[in-house]
């Protein structure tokens, strides 16, 4: 018999709030986290705004030495993981640590470290490059740092599937527990790619919104006037736990992961396949895995990036799978508030789904002003909505055609 998997802790660092309480409050208020970039001068760029995590005092969480030896993406991931582990009530001193694993991914990794040390190399030569360059930039290092912090010696690796990273990480961690290879997994995604090179790359692709005069209105998923996504940063980490174990220790069970599906478009390096069959197949597989019918779904947290193609394709996929029922199911994109957190987005959005279930409130899609005939579903426009929510799905689609979908259920 397959093991059931509960969520017993969550941690979030986002452009609309650090910590779950602050994030949840902002989420349901429809708060906007997108402003002009402050990490560096963006004046020369086509897109000059981002969902930055602002006002975070890293010295509250790390020693000066630790800060120097960790890229920002790892720092954000560690802060979210600390909140999640603390909330779960797991005590390293009382656990069999070999049964607790970590699976935290990043789409990009330590980009700011690469940029800084490349400058050192060119200006001062190879002998001046930091010995911490490699361990700071590699995408698996956040998983390693979390394990070192707590002594968790179970399965430990990372996944990198661009914008589907967080969802793939939680999905695979769920499977690890279900198979019996671990009892607890710390899982999710983290990203900090708002750097000169990162922004330049996305600008050159013409993937980003250029609504620089009104950044707070730039991320507008499913709106007819959308003109690209807005880059963001952050981390979303969950503690997954074998359900009987969690019940035995009287843990607070926030929700249950019941299904995971994935697929590949096998089509294009950046564009989703135009008929949406890739993300449709991942949703279908996730529901089959959960043994849940499409009619039982109460809410869809969409990938909803605010790019013309993605939003149209995802809408088409939802209609193709759910048929007439698609018009009954509320769909929203929290990227309208946070921007697109790349590899962290799946982790943060799973936490948004858990909040929707427990608060019986659907997060809105803000900046929805101009209906698009190609995007004609119920996108929970502009204001949060009270609703009974038992079953939700969370969609992620990454460059390279990676699709990942989680089904989450009220416990």
């Amino acid at each position: 018999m397959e093991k059931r998997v509960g969520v017993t802790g969550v941690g979030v660092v986002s452009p609309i709030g650090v910590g779950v309480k602050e994030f949840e409050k902002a989420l349901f208020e429809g708060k906007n986290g997108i402003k002009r970039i402050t990490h560096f001068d963006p004046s020369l760029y086509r897109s000059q705004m981002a969902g930055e995590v602002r006002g975070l005092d890293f010295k509250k969480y790390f020693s000066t030495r630790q800060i120097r030896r960790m890229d920002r993406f790892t720092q954000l991931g560690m802060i979210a993981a600390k909140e999640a582990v603390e909330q779960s009530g797991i005590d390293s001193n009382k656990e069999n640590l070999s049964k607790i694993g970590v699976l935290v991914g990043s789409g990009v990794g330590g980009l700011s470290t690469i940029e800084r040390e490349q400058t050192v190399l060119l200006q001062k030569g190879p002998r001046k490059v930091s010995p911490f360059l490699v361990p700071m930039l590699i995408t698996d290092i956040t998983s390693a740092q979390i394990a070192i912090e707590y002594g968790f010696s179970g399965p430990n690796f990372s996944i990198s599937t661009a914008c589907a990273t967080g969802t793939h990480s939680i999905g695979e961690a769920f499977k690890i527990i279900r198979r019996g290879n671990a009892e607890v997994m710390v899982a999710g995604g983290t990203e900090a790619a708002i750097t000169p090179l990162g922004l330049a790359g996305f600008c050159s692709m013409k993937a980003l919104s250029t609504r620089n005069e009104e950044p707070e209105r730039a991320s507008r998923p499913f709106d007819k006037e959308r003109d690209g996504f807005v880059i963001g940063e952050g981390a979303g980490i969950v503690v997954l736990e074998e359900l009987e174990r969690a019940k035995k220790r009287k843990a607070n069970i926030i929700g249950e992961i019941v299904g995971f599906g994935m697929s590949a478009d096998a089509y294009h390096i950046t564009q989703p396949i135009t008929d949406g069959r890739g993300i449709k197949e991942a949703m279908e597989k996730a529901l089959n895995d959960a043994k849940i019918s499409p009619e039982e779904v109460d809410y869809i947290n969409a990938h909803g990036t605010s790019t013309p193609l993605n939003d149209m394709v995802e809408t088409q996929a939802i209609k193709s799978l759910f048929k007439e029922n698609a018009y009954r199911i509320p769909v929203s994109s929290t990227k309208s508030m946070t921007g697109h957190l790349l590899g962290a987005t799946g982790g943060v959005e799973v936490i948004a789904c858990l909040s929707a279930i427990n608060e019986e409130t659907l997060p809105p899609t803000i900046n929805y002003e101009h209906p698009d005939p190609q995007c004609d579903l119920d996108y929970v426009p502009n204001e949060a909505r009270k609703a009974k929510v038992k079953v939700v799905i969370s969609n992620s689609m990454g460059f390279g055609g990676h699709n990942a979908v989680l089904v989450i259920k009220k416990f």
Side-chain angles (χ1 to χ4, degrees):
M1 191 173 156
E2 284 183 333
K3 295 176 188 296
R4 290 171 65 188
V5 180
V7 181
T8 55
V10 294
V12 65
V13 176
S14 84
I16 60 169
V18 175
V20 174
K21 280 186 181 167
E22 196 179 303
F23 169 73
E24 199 173 74
K25 183 173 183 287
L27 190 71
F28 297 134
E29 285 175 358
K31 183 180 173 182
N32 194 295
I34 294 159
K35 295 184 175 71
R36 185 177 170 83
I37 289 169
T38 61
H39 289 351
F40 56 91
D41 180 6
S43 302
L44 297 175
Y45 293 79
R46 282 171 53 86
S47 182
Q48 299 168 8
M49 62 214 150
E52 293 179 332
V53 177
R54 294 163 187 259
L56 193 54
D57 181 6
F58 289 100
K59 288 177 182 167
K60 270 175 60 181
Y61 304 94
F62 309 109
S63 68
T64 306
R65 187 181 183 196
Q66 284 177 311
I67 291 169
R68 279 204 315 269
R69 294 181 178 187
M70 266 188 238
D71 188 271
R72 185 178 173 91
F73 88 101
T74 297
Q75 293 170 14
L76 299 180
M78 288 284 287
I79 292 167
K82 284 180 179 187
E83 182 184 25
V85 172
E86 189 177 319
Q87 194 184 89
S88 76
I90 284 169
D91 183 348
S92 294
N93 297 314
K94 297 175 183 173
E95 296 287 350
N96 179 344
L97 300 178
S98 68
K99 293 185 176 180
I100 305 177
V102 188
L103 206 179
V104 175
S106 176
V108 178
L111 197 54
S112 59
T113 297
I114 294 169
E115 289 178 42
R116 185 185 65 246
E117 296 303 318
Q118 167 73 352
T119 303
V120 170
L121 174 68
L122 295 176
Q123 291 179 354
K124 299 180 181 176
R127 289 173 183 269
K128 295 294 182 184
V129 168
S130 169
F132 295 100
L133 165 65
V134 174
M136 284 172 75
L137 71 87
I138 50 180
T139 56
D140 68 314
I141 202 66
T142 309
S143 276
Q145 292 279 23
I146 293 165
I148 291 164
E149 177 76 17
Y150 294 101
F152 298 153
S153 59
N156 190 292
F157 61 108
S158 83
I159 288 171
S160 185
T161 50
C163 310
T165 296
T167 303
H168 269 123
S169 299
I170 294 169
E172 281 303 309
F174 158 68
K175 294 284 189 183
I176 286 168
I177 295 172
R178 203 150 79 165
R179 290 195 303 265
N181 297 134
E183 292 181 355
V184 179
M185 290 293 294
V186 180
T190 183
E191 203 79 89
I194 306 169
T195 70
L197 186 62
L199 187 68
F202 283 117
C203 283
S204 293
M205 287 171 63
K206 298 191 166 79
L208 301 180
S209 171
T210 55
R211 202 183 281 258
N212 296 313
E213 296 73 35
E214 40 183 11
E216 69 288 343
R217 296 179 69 219
S219 185
R220 42 182 54 242
F222 307 108
D223 184 273
K224 194 179 181 183
E225 308 273 301
R226 66 191 183 276
D227 70 327
F229 77 84
V230 177
I231 191 171
E233 63 179 355
I237 308 289
V238 297
V239 174
L240 303 184
E241 190 166 351
E242 195 272 313
L243 200 65
E244 290 309 311
R245 178 193 195 280
K247 279 160 48 175
K248 196 173 174 183
R249 71 177 185 90
K250 297 184 171 58
N252 177 34
I253 298 162
I254 301 161
E256 188 178 354
I257 308 289
V258 290
F260 175 50
M262 48 186 166
S263 70
D265 286 357
Y267 171 70
H268 189 273
I269 56 171
T270 57
Q271 292 177 3
I273 194 162
T274 49
D275 63 4
R277 67 176 178 262
I279 188 65
K280 179 197 172 186
E281 188 181 325
M283 287 190 282
E284 207 161 27
K285 285 177 175 175
L287 287 169
N288 288 340
D289 187 42
K291 299 177 179 60
I292 281 174
S293 70
E295 292 72 35
E296 292 175 80
V297 174
D298 298 309
Y299 166 63
I300 298 169
N301 187 291
H303 189 58
T305 57
S306 185
T307 59
L309 192 60
N310 176 93
D311 297 0
M312 183 270 287
V313 164
E314 191 174 10
T315 297
Q316 203 168 312
I318 291 167
K319 290 196 286 190
S320 175
L321 177 60
F322 291 93
K323 308 286 192 277
E324 280 306 307
N325 215 32
Y327 294 94
R328 177 195 68 78
I329 303 169
V331 177
S332 71
S333 172
T334 45
K335 290 181 183 71
S336 57
M337 295 174 265
T338 62
H340 191 348
L341 312 187
L342 310 178
T345 201
V348 172
E349 287 165 10
V350 162
I351 294 167
C353 289
L354 289 162
S355 293
I357 289 169
N358 290 310
E359 297 302 316
E360 298 190 337
T361 307
L362 304 176
T365 304
I366 67 167
N367 294 324
Y368 186 81
E369 296 167 337
H370 311 93
D372 181 343
Q374 291 185 302
C375 298
D376 59 347
L377 299 176
D378 172 9
Y379 301 112
V380 195
N382 303 311
E383 288 185 4
R385 182 189 303 165
K386 283 288 178 188
K388 295 275 186 197
V389 188
K390 286 184 180 173
V391 176
V392 305
I393 66 175
S394 185
N395 288 346
S396 291
M397 302 153 73
F399 280 178
H402 309 293
N403 303 302
V405 176
L406 284 161
V407 183
I408 305 149
K409 200 173 176 184
K410 185 179 179 70
F411 178 67

